[in-house]
């Protein structure tokens, strides 16, 4: 089969990482391997120009993407990120991981992802709104409550989802709350959605620790990335008796062997925008983060963080992937050799998309659940999915990542086979 002409992945680049994960799963697919090439090709990739008039009167152009990797099991589902390093290859990989994640948790979705190449910190609120509305109009031809449902991701939030929903609604001439998830509560958002990804990381982490015999009380936790996912996971671990001993974000790396006072740290981050300068811990070099002794390491920033070199120096028992794709294939191989268990992103951070699914269901039925109901349902779905993946891992003696891909790819390809090819 020929390679795709529009990307040039390397072994450890995002799409290259994803392709190597598909290669690893192929031997376990049985007769479904006949369809495996479907997973190596996104169904649809849209690249759009996003022109806006800046506050100073000049015209700026931004590059936007929406990739739908698979729509075999249902509408596309996946976030939109605003970041200067967004590329087509990255968005393709993220959309493919969404296909796997949705199937691993057994949600009725395919995988999609979007992004705009820009630094939102360089734009005013008004400019951000213009970019969001224009981007939504440009990708409006392929999104919709039953086609593809965007959500927040890196540097996007409920306000951006509100603008997307409003723009789409204006274009179709009716209020379409179900076109995006992660919306403000007043616009059909779901209780518990903001905390859902971090909560899922904690719930899955707790299950993995129990199976590995790691005591929660006093467990040493290191967290990279202290945004929505990392901070909420850290808070829940600390509330359960664990110690958060090291935290890193874009403002620096801080260490406290006794464990941080979480409320003080969260207050500092809310006030200053990052962990840097926090007086309740010692500043250490960023690269030293990867050498800190811990029981659980949570990479919750961007992809490609645990390289071969960093994996060789890690002093942890369990890696809990809060971010998407934080471990490179070379890093993964080293961790496997060293006996460090990795709970892959496609299950570890699936709490967000699970509660996005709840939000979508609530929007369609115009009937909303309490936060307790949402958390009970979330815990039940993701712990059930994790239990199944753990069993497959033990049955085949394969890593949890490969096991998650076996479960997910089997579901996607069974659906592909049942549907057949049109026309």
């Amino acid at each position: 089969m020929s390679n795709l002409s529009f990307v040039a992945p390397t072994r450890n680049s995002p799409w290259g990482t994803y392709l190597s994960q598909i290669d690893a799963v192929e031997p376990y697919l049985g007769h479904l391997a006949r369809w495996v090439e479907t997973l190596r090709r996104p169904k649809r990739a849209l690249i759009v120009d996003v022109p806006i008039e800046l506050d100073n009167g000049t015209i700026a152009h931004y590059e936007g993407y929406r990739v739908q990797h698979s729509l075999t099991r249902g509408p596309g589902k996946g976030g939109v990120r605003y970041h200067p390093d967004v590329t087509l290859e990255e968005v393709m990989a993220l959309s493919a991981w969404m296909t796997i994640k949705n199937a691993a948790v057994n949600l009725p979705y395919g995988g999609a992802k979007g992004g705009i190449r820009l630094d939102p910190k360089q734009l005013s609120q008004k400019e951000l709104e213009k970019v969001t509305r224009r981007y939504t109009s440009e990708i409006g031809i392929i999104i919709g409550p039953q086609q593809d449902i965007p959500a927040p991701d890196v540097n996007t939030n409920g306000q951006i989802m509100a603008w997307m929903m409003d723009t789409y609604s204006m274009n179709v001439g009716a209020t379409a709350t179900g076109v995006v998830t992660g919306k403000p509560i007043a616009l059909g958002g779901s209780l518990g959605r903001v905390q859902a990804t971090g909560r899922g990381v904690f719930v899955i982490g707790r299950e993995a620790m129990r199976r590995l015999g790691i005591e929660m009380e006093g467990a040493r936790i290191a967290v990279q990335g202290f945004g929505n996912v990392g901070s909420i996971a850290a808070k829940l671990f600390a509330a359960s008796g664990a110690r958060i001993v090291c935290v890193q974000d874009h403002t620096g790396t801080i260490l406290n062997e006794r464990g941080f006072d979480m409320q003080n740290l969260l207050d500092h981050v809310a006030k200053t925008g990052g962990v840097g300068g926090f007086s309740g811990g010692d500043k250490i070099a960023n690269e030293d983060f990867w050498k800190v002794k811990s029981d659980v390491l949570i990479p919750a920033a961007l992809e490609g963080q645990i390289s071969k070199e960093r994996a060789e120096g890690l002093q942890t028992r369990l890696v809990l992937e809060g971010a998407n794709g934080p471990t490179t294939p070379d890093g993964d191989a080293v961790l496997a050799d060293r006996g460090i268990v990795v709970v892959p992103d496609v299950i570890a951070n699936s709490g967000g998309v699970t509660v996005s699914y709840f939000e979508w269901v609530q929007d369609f039925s115009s009937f909303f659940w309490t936060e307790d109901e949402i958390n009970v349902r979330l815990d039940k779905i993701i712990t059930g999915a994790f239990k199944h993946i753990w069993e497959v891992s033990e049955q085949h003696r394969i890593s949890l990542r490969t096991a998650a891909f076996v479960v997910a790819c089997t579901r996607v390809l069974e659906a592909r086979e049942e549907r057949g090819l049109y026309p």
Side-chain angles (χ1 to χ4, degrees):
M1 291 286 182
S2 62
N3 293 328
L4 300 170
S5 67
F6 46 88
V7 284
T10 59
R11 173 167 159 78
N12 291 302
S13 70
W15 187 249
T17 298
Y18 167 74
L19 290 177
S20 73
Q21 292 162 348
I22 295 300
D23 292 343
V25 84
E26 195 171 346
Y28 303 96
L29 294 175
H31 75 281
L32 293 172
R34 172 173 180 242
W35 297 92
V36 74
E37 195 62 25
T38 315
L39 297 167
R40 296 192 177 104
R41 294 156 184 272
K43 176 180 174 61
R44 183 180 289 131
L46 180 62
I47 305 172
V48 295
D49 178 38
V50 186
I52 64 160
E53 185 180 344
L54 298 176
D55 294 344
N56 65 11
T58 60
I59 306 297
H61 289 258
Y62 301 97
E63 204 172 293
Y65 308 97
R66 187 71 186 174
V67 176
Q68 295 167 344
H69 174 259
S70 168
L71 303 180
T72 302
R73 299 177 73 251
K77 188 84 194 76
V80 174
R81 63 174 52 181
Y82 290 180
H83 197 279
D85 297 334
V86 163
T87 61
L88 175 62
E89 186 195 328
E90 179 189 50
V91 177
M92 278 169 52
L94 292 165
S95 73
W97 284 321
M98 286 306 300
T99 298
I100 302 301
K101 186 183 301 184
N102 288 323
V105 188
N106 213 8
L107 302 178
Y109 290 136
K113 205 78 178 190
I116 309 179
R117 276 176 77 87
L118 59 78
D119 180 357
K121 295 184 193 71
Q122 306 296 321
L123 299 186
S124 70
Q125 187 79 345
K126 196 76 209 153
E127 290 167 339
L128 209 52
E129 180 176 352
K130 285 180 180 174
V131 161
T132 301
R133 288 183 180 278
R134 181 63 189 240
Y135 169 73
T136 307
S137 292
E138 294 293 347
I139 66 166
I141 53 174
I142 62 167
I143 63 169
Q146 284 160 320
Q147 285 84 31
D148 180 2
I149 306 112
D153 195 75
V154 175
N155 291 331
T156 56
N157 55 24
Q159 177 60 74
I160 284 168
M161 294 305 110
W163 289 331
M164 289 188 77
M165 186 211 98
D166 182 67
T167 305
Y168 181 85
S169 297
M170 290 295 116
N171 286 339
V172 299
T175 299
T177 53
V179 67
V180 293
T181 56
K183 302 180 294 295
I185 301 293
L187 294 175
S190 177
L191 296 169
R193 172 62 186 89
V194 174
Q195 297 83 17
T197 310
R199 182 182 173 79
V201 170
F202 165 71
V203 169
I204 295 295
R206 183 187 65 200
E207 293 296 305
M209 288 166 76
R210 192 167 57 76
R211 284 176 164 82
L212 294 169
I214 302 173
E215 281 291 325
M216 179 68 78
E217 191 64 43
R220 294 169 59 90
I221 317 268
V223 185
Q224 186 206 29
F226 210 65
N228 185 28
V229 180
S231 67
I232 286 163
K235 190 175 165 182
L236 291 168
F237 273 109
S240 297
R243 286 178 294 158
I244 313 303
V245 295
C246 190
V247 177
Q248 177 181 93
D249 71 2
H250 62 285
T251 63
T253 308
I254 52 171
L255 175 73
N256 182 331
E257 292 287 350
R258 293 189 307 281
F260 294 108
D261 180 314
M262 283 307 295
Q263 200 48 58
N264 286 350
L265 179 55
L266 291 164
D267 291 345
H268 172 82
V269 171
K271 199 159 68 203
T272 66
V275 302
F278 179 59
S279 58
D282 301 320
K283 182 180 192 303
I284 63 169
N286 285 340
E287 207 47 45
D288 289 345
F289 171 83
W290 305 102
K291 302 184 185 99
V292 170
K293 196 172 184 318
S294 65
D295 294 301
V296 183
L297 175 78
I298 306 174
L302 291 169
E303 62 270 2
Q305 296 299 299
I306 302 180
S307 59
K308 176 174 179 281
E309 295 71 29
R310 286 173 175 171
E312 283 163 354
L314 281 194
Q315 297 187 64
T316 193
R317 295 173 65 188
L318 175 65
V319 174
L320 201 51
E321 293 188 336
N324 291 313
T327 311
T328 67
D330 287 348
D332 235 0
V334 171
L335 295 177
D337 285 347
R338 296 186 58 209
I340 296 172
V341 175
V342 180
V343 180
D345 47 6
V346 293
I347 182 68
N349 69 25
S350 62
V353 72
T354 304
V355 177
S356 272
Y357 166 59
F358 296 165
E359 180 177 333
W360 182 71
V361 168
Q362 291 170 90
D363 285 340
F364 268 122
S365 61
S366 299
F367 181 80
F368 290 83
W369 311 337
T370 65
E371 190 157 358
D372 283 349
E373 286 175 310
I374 283 160
N375 287 339
V376 167
R377 286 174 171 167
L378 168 64
D379 290 16
K380 188 175 174 188
I381 285 178
I382 62 175
T383 53
F386 180 66
K387 179 172 179 282
H388 182 41
I389 288 165
W390 189 277
E391 286 164 357
V392 170
S393 156
E394 289 193 323
Q395 179 194 336
H396 292 295
R397 298 191 174 149
I398 50 179
S399 71
L400 288 171
R401 187 183 317 280
T402 303
F405 271 70
V406 169
V407 170
C409 294
T410 299
R411 284 176 180 153
V412 174
L413 298 180
E414 274 177 351
R416 174 75 277 162
E417 185 173 65
E418 294 283 351
R419 286 182 65 160
L421 293 176
Y422 172 88

